Amino acid sequence: MSQELAEQRSAPGACGLGGPLRYQNVVIIWLRCDQDILNRRLDARVDSMVAQGLLPEIRTFYESYVKPYDACQFHQGILQAIGFKEFVKYLETYGPEQDLEILDYRTASLEHPRPKPTGLSMLEDCLDYLKLVTRRYARRQLQWIRNRFLSDIGREVPPIYALDTGNVDHWKVQVSDPALAIIDAIKSGQPSPVPCVPKIATDRKRLQTERTFRCETCQRVFIGEHQWQIHIHSKKHRKMTKRSKTPSTDQQTGPVPSIANSG
């Protein structure tokens, strides 16, 4: 370990993962809402993406970068991005002419009903699946915030102040005014009018922050046992393990020498 890194880790507020905060008087304002409200907003976002041209966009990408090749790995690289792989079944089954017929049907006036075009049911299934995985991803983001900022593992992190965005009609009263009041209080050295989110108790002694772990199945490296434990119990890791048909995580994952200690 270099002398500079050792000094950072030994400074007040530091831990085995790194040094203390570089700047003082830093705060994090977390805009959040109830899960049901968030789910409805995410679903509406998908519908808005479709209305603004999602289908022609993914069709162009499919025809240019997927269809010409014999095999594509939809769990690697850009192809694993949310918003494309969920439509592969439809894109492989139907062509651009069907896209136009479906889009024309979706934008037609309700005053003149007509039969549903071929492929619409499959496309709607793809859209429902996209909404599902988007909601899942949002929940993973919330869990990341809790693990990264709220877990009490000895690492200095800025205080987090949560503001409710559930009712946008009350944005000024519930969000913008409290946010400005928090910042003004911190700048003037006064107590915040809004309490910060409490930390989540964690068994620090059980966690080893100096070790580096490598997951061969997921091809990822994790520094510290806290992040390692989160990963091996995650749905994504279990899914990748099942896909690789590996009997147990003990045979394909484990600690490796710390990168920081290697020289």
Side-chain angles (χ1 to χ4, degrees):
M1 182 187 303
S2 69
Q3 182 178 353
E4 291 183 358
L5 185 57
E7 292 176 353
Q8 289 179 3
R9 293 186 175 186
S10 61
C15 71
L17 296 178
L21 293 176
R22 183 175 182 181
Y23 301 103
Q24 300 302 314
N25 296 334
V26 176
V27 299
I28 297 176
I29 296 179
W30 181 12
L31 305 184
R32 65 181 183 181
C33 61
D34 291 340
Q35 189 66 50
D36 290 342
I37 296 176
L38 178 59
N39 288 342
R40 290 196 296 270
R41 289 175 176 174
L42 294 173
D43 290 349
R45 179 174 178 267
V46 172
D47 293 334
S48 176
M49 291 166 59
V50 175
Q52 296 180 47
L54 174 64
L55 185 54
E57 182 178 341
I58 60 176
R59 172 64 69 183
T60 300
F61 183 87
Y62 173 79
E63 297 290 336
S64 300
Y65 302 105
V66 176
K67 188 176 180 179
Y69 302 96
D70 294 333
C72 292
Q73 300 294 328
F74 293 101
H75 62 280
Q76 296 179 352
I78 193 173
L79 295 183
Q80 66 181 325
I82 295 176
F84 176 74
K85 63 182 182 297
E86 293 79 16
F87 295 91
V88 170
K89 183 178 180 180
Y90 168 83
L91 295 171
E92 291 177 341
T93 305
Y94 300 100
E97 64 283 349
Q98 205 63 34
D99 298 349
L100 296 175
E101 185 176 347
I102 290 175
L103 290 174
D104 182 60
Y105 174 85
R106 288 173 62 93
T107 57
S109 173
L110 297 178
E111 297 179 357
H112 304 285
R114 55 184 180 177
K116 290 185 177 181
T118 304
L120 178 61
S121 296
M122 182 180 292
L123 178 62
E124 289 176 341
D125 289 341
C126 294
L127 289 171
D128 289 341
Y129 184 52
L130 174 58
K131 293 177 180 179
L132 175 63
V133 297
T134 301
R135 294 193 296 267
R136 286 177 179 172
Y137 185 67
R139 288 195 293 271
R140 289 202 300 270
Q141 288 179 319
L142 293 173
Q143 188 60 47
W144 184 89
I145 291 174
R146 297 186 184 98
N147 293 333
R148 176 62 179 83
F149 295 116
L150 298 180
S151 294
D152 184 15
I153 59 173
R155 178 173 47 196
E156 186 179 35
V157 296
I160 297 183
Y161 299 91
L163 300 178
D164 186 7
T165 64
N167 190 339
V168 294
D169 293 334
H170 298 161
W171 184 270
K172 186 176 188 302
V173 175
Q174 295 184 350
V175 181
S176 61
D177 285 351
L180 292 174
I182 293 170
I183 295 173
D184 289 341
I186 298 299
K187 289 173 60 178
S188 61
Q190 301 297 319
S192 169
V194 178
C196 62
V197 181
K199 293 294 184 67
I200 301 173
T202 305
D203 186 0
R204 302 184 191 179
K205 295 181 180 179
R206 184 177 58 84
L207 302 177
Q208 302 179 49
T209 58
E210 295 290 343
R211 301 177 70 182
T212 299
F213 298 82
R214 178 179 177 83
C215 177
E216 296 296 342
T217 299
C218 303
Q219 292 296 301
R220 296 182 61 188
V221 174
F222 300 86
I223 300 177
E225 190 171 352
H226 179 63
Q227 296 298 325
W228 171 247
Q229 292 295 331
I230 292 172
H231 171 70
I232 63 176
H233 291 94
S234 66
K235 291 182 179 179
K236 182 176 182 179
H237 173 73
R238 293 198 298 268
K239 183 178 180 180
M240 292 294 291
T241 301
K242 183 178 180 181
R243 181 180 297 167
S244 65
K245 298 181 180 180
T246 303
S248 67
T249 57
D250 292 339
Q251 296 181 8
Q252 48 82 37
T253 58
V256 297
S258 171
I259 296 175
N261 292 334
S262 61

